[in-house]
Amino acid sequence: MGSLHVLEHPLIQHKVSILRDKNTGVKEFREIVGEIAALMCYEATRNLPTKEIEIETPIAPARVKVLAGKKMAIVPILRAGLGMVDTMIALIPSAKIGHIGLYRDPQTHEPVKYYCKMPPDISERQVFVVDPMLATGGSASDAISFIKEYGCKSITLMDIIAAPEGIERVRHDHPDVDIFVAAVDEKLNEHAYIVPGLGDAGDRIFGTK
Ligand code: PRP
Ligand code: URA
């Protein structure tokens, strides 16, 4: 059974508050999404297995720890998930990147898939699905289902702000998936936007509104 982790680290909380402010401009918003993604990545990878290897430092032989588990992949849900990739890949340079393009139909709020490209060995990798917003949970749930179709068994979802409805949907559809979020907000409004949320993450990252 996957678990839900709400990351209450003060640095993360401070940065999420800046994102929420409607006066935060595109440049700062984009930078802070990246900074939060790095901090969340640090927490979400805390339990990765390690093994000991023998190396030589300039001074003496030493047994040191290196990552031992599955190779990793980061899968942003387009568009807004792209804002989380660069800082994560800086921390995990060997990770491959898959892309899933989904947009929410403005009337039904249902996700519509328009793109999908995965690394060929994705089934052998530990996958981190990333998107700043988990609202109804439809996009995340569909993205995880698509990734499972490739045979992936080990999937973690990372969202900055989540609505209770979205968490419930993903936990119901994918009980095996670990979920990391920085904030759980109050509810969704009639347009399925998170309240209080931060508005439209994609528009604020890319300056499209
Ligand atoms: C946003 C967000 C998620 C989705 C969340 O993307 O980045 O992907 O909505 O909503 P849900 O949980 O109700 O599915 P959007 O569809 O606005 O596309 P964009 O990233 O291209 O702006
Ligand atoms: N997508 C967003 O970007 N924001 C929301 O509040 C809901 C979906």
PDB file of all heavy atoms in Angstrom, residues 5 42-50 67 178 180:
ATOM      1  N   HIS A   5       2.551  11.462   1.871  1.00  0.00           N
ATOM      2  CA  HIS A   5       3.514  12.252   2.638  1.00  0.00           C
ATOM      3  C   HIS A   5       3.242  13.732   2.389  1.00  0.00           C
ATOM      4  O   HIS A   5       3.311  14.182   1.237  1.00  0.00           O
ATOM      5  CB  HIS A   5       4.951  11.943   2.198  1.00  0.00           C
ATOM      6  CG  HIS A   5       5.296  10.483   2.268  1.00  0.00           C
ATOM      7  ND1 HIS A   5       6.044   9.946   3.293  1.00  0.00           N
ATOM      8  CD2 HIS A   5       4.988   9.454   1.437  1.00  0.00           C
ATOM      9  CE1 HIS A   5       6.178   8.650   3.090  1.00  0.00           C
ATOM     10  NE2 HIS A   5       5.541   8.318   1.979  1.00  0.00           N
ATOM     11  N   TYR A  42      14.352  15.562  -2.775  1.00  0.00           N
ATOM     12  CA  TYR A  42      15.228  15.151  -1.672  1.00  0.00           C
ATOM     13  C   TYR A  42      14.459  14.276  -0.688  1.00  0.00           C
ATOM     14  O   TYR A  42      14.930  13.216  -0.258  1.00  0.00           O
ATOM     15  CB  TYR A  42      15.763  16.418  -0.995  1.00  0.00           C
ATOM     16  CG  TYR A  42      16.622  16.211   0.208  1.00  0.00           C
ATOM     17  CD1 TYR A  42      17.945  15.823   0.082  1.00  0.00           C
ATOM     18  CD2 TYR A  42      16.112  16.428   1.482  1.00  0.00           C
ATOM     19  CE1 TYR A  42      18.736  15.651   1.203  1.00  0.00           C
ATOM     20  CE2 TYR A  42      16.896  16.253   2.595  1.00  0.00           C
ATOM     21  CZ  TYR A  42      18.212  15.865   2.458  1.00  0.00           C
ATOM     22  OH  TYR A  42      18.984  15.686   3.567  1.00  0.00           O
ATOM     23  N   GLU A  43      13.222  14.685  -0.363  1.00  0.00           N
ATOM     24  CA  GLU A  43      12.408  13.908   0.580  1.00  0.00           C
ATOM     25  C   GLU A  43      11.899  12.614  -0.056  1.00  0.00           C
ATOM     26  O   GLU A  43      11.876  11.559   0.582  1.00  0.00           O
ATOM     27  CB  GLU A  43      11.215  14.736   1.067  1.00  0.00           C
ATOM     28  CG  GLU A  43      11.583  15.923   1.928  1.00  0.00           C
ATOM     29  CD  GLU A  43      12.046  15.526   3.328  1.00  0.00           C
ATOM     30  OE1 GLU A  43      11.968  14.346   3.678  1.00  0.00           O
ATOM     31  OE2 GLU A  43      12.501  16.418   4.064  1.00  0.00           O
ATOM     32  N   ALA A  44      11.478  12.696  -1.310  1.00  0.00           N
ATOM     33  CA  ALA A  44      10.862  11.529  -1.958  1.00  0.00           C
ATOM     34  C   ALA A  44      11.880  10.422  -2.254  1.00  0.00           C
ATOM     35  O   ALA A  44      11.498   9.280  -2.501  1.00  0.00           O
ATOM     36  CB  ALA A  44      10.157  11.960  -3.244  1.00  0.00           C
ATOM     37  N   THR A  45      13.168  10.786  -2.246  1.00  0.00           N
ATOM     38  CA  THR A  45      14.203   9.778  -2.530  1.00  0.00           C
ATOM     39  C   THR A  45      14.910   9.323  -1.253  1.00  0.00           C
ATOM     40  O   THR A  45      15.905   8.603  -1.315  1.00  0.00           O
ATOM     41  CB  THR A  45      15.260  10.353  -3.505  1.00  0.00           C
ATOM     42  OG1 THR A  45      15.726  11.605  -2.988  1.00  0.00           O
ATOM     43  CG2 THR A  45      14.690  10.561  -4.892  1.00  0.00           C
ATOM     44  N   ARG A  46      14.377   9.718  -0.123  1.00  0.00           N
ATOM     45  CA  ARG A  46      15.038   9.460   1.167  1.00  0.00           C
ATOM     46  C   ARG A  46      15.287   7.971   1.420  1.00  0.00           C
ATOM     47  O   ARG A  46      16.295   7.605   2.011  1.00  0.00           O
ATOM     48  CB  ARG A  46      14.154  10.029   2.283  1.00  0.00           C
ATOM     49  CG  ARG A  46      14.703   9.894   3.662  1.00  0.00           C
ATOM     50  CD  ARG A  46      13.780  10.581   4.652  1.00  0.00           C
ATOM     51  NE  ARG A  46      13.881  12.030   4.610  1.00  0.00           N
ATOM     52  CZ  ARG A  46      14.870  12.721   5.174  1.00  0.00           C
ATOM     53  NH1 ARG A  46      15.829  12.100   5.803  1.00  0.00           N
ATOM     54  NH2 ARG A  46      14.898  14.030   5.100  1.00  0.00           N
ATOM     55  N   ASN A  47      14.381   7.118   0.962  1.00  0.00           N
ATOM     56  CA  ASN A  47      14.506   5.689   1.282  1.00  0.00           C
ATOM     57  C   ASN A  47      15.057   4.842   0.133  1.00  0.00           C
ATOM     58  O   ASN A  47      14.915   3.619   0.137  1.00  0.00           O
ATOM     59  CB  ASN A  47      13.151   5.129   1.742  1.00  0.00           C
ATOM     60  CG  ASN A  47      12.733   5.751   3.060  1.00  0.00           C
ATOM     61  OD1 ASN A  47      13.569   5.962   3.936  1.00  0.00           O
ATOM     62  ND2 ASN A  47      11.460   6.088   3.183  1.00  0.00           N
ATOM     63  N   LEU A  48      15.670   5.494  -0.849  1.00  0.00           N
ATOM     64  CA  LEU A  48      16.267   4.706  -1.940  1.00  0.00           C
ATOM     65  C   LEU A  48      17.342   3.789  -1.359  1.00  0.00           C
ATOM     66  O   LEU A  48      18.129   4.204  -0.490  1.00  0.00           O
ATOM     67  CB  LEU A  48      16.915   5.625  -2.982  1.00  0.00           C
ATOM     68  CG  LEU A  48      15.986   6.465  -3.852  1.00  0.00           C
ATOM     69  CD1 LEU A  48      16.826   7.313  -4.808  1.00  0.00           C
ATOM     70  CD2 LEU A  48      15.021   5.588  -4.632  1.00  0.00           C
ATOM     71  N   PRO A  49      17.407   2.542  -1.834  1.00  0.00           N
ATOM     72  CA  PRO A  49      18.428   1.637  -1.300  1.00  0.00           C
ATOM     73  C   PRO A  49      19.837   2.033  -1.739  1.00  0.00           C
ATOM     74  O   PRO A  49      20.034   2.580  -2.819  1.00  0.00           O
ATOM     75  CB  PRO A  49      18.033   0.281  -1.899  1.00  0.00           C
ATOM     76  CG  PRO A  49      17.180   0.580  -3.061  1.00  0.00           C
ATOM     77  CD  PRO A  49      16.552   1.930  -2.845  1.00  0.00           C
ATOM     78  N   THR A  50      20.800   1.756  -0.866  1.00  0.00           N
ATOM     79  CA  THR A  50      22.209   1.997  -1.195  1.00  0.00           C
ATOM     80  C   THR A  50      22.999   0.700  -0.992  1.00  0.00           C
ATOM     81  O   THR A  50      22.515  -0.225  -0.329  1.00  0.00           O
ATOM     82  CB  THR A  50      22.827   3.092  -0.293  1.00  0.00           C
ATOM     83  OG1 THR A  50      22.673   2.699   1.075  1.00  0.00           O
ATOM     84  CG2 THR A  50      22.176   4.439  -0.514  1.00  0.00           C
ATOM     85  N   LEU A  67      24.017   4.572  -4.710  1.00  0.00           N
ATOM     86  CA  LEU A  67      22.648   4.101  -4.959  1.00  0.00           C
ATOM     87  C   LEU A  67      22.691   2.687  -5.524  1.00  0.00           C
ATOM     88  O   LEU A  67      23.519   2.372  -6.385  1.00  0.00           O
ATOM     89  CB  LEU A  67      21.941   5.034  -5.946  1.00  0.00           C
ATOM     90  CG  LEU A  67      21.649   6.451  -5.434  1.00  0.00           C
ATOM     91  CD1 LEU A  67      21.099   7.308  -6.568  1.00  0.00           C
ATOM     92  CD2 LEU A  67      20.664   6.400  -4.268  1.00  0.00           C
ATOM     93  N   ASP A 178       3.028   5.775  -3.936  1.00  0.00           N
ATOM     94  CA  ASP A 178       3.351   6.758  -2.884  1.00  0.00           C
ATOM     95  C   ASP A 178       3.087   8.155  -3.415  1.00  0.00           C
ATOM     96  O   ASP A 178       3.428   8.462  -4.569  1.00  0.00           O
ATOM     97  CB  ASP A 178       4.834   6.664  -2.496  1.00  0.00           C
ATOM     98  CG  ASP A 178       5.112   5.484  -1.588  1.00  0.00           C
ATOM     99  OD1 ASP A 178       4.239   5.142  -0.777  1.00  0.00           O
ATOM    100  OD2 ASP A 178       6.208   4.908  -1.707  1.00  0.00           O
ATOM    101  N   PHE A 180       3.663  12.288  -2.684  1.00  0.00           N
ATOM    102  CA  PHE A 180       4.333  13.355  -1.928  1.00  0.00           C
ATOM    103  C   PHE A 180       3.731  14.689  -2.342  1.00  0.00           C
ATOM    104  O   PHE A 180       3.692  15.005  -3.543  1.00  0.00           O
ATOM    105  CB  PHE A 180       5.842  13.367  -2.211  1.00  0.00           C
ATOM    106  CG  PHE A 180       6.573  12.216  -1.577  1.00  0.00           C
ATOM    107  CD1 PHE A 180       6.551  10.951  -2.151  1.00  0.00           C
ATOM    108  CD2 PHE A 180       7.264  12.387  -0.391  1.00  0.00           C
ATOM    109  CE1 PHE A 180       7.206   9.887  -1.561  1.00  0.00           C
ATOM    110  CE2 PHE A 180       7.924  11.337   0.213  1.00  0.00           C
ATOM    111  CZ  PHE A 180       7.896  10.070  -0.374  1.00  0.00           C
TER     112      PHE A 180
END
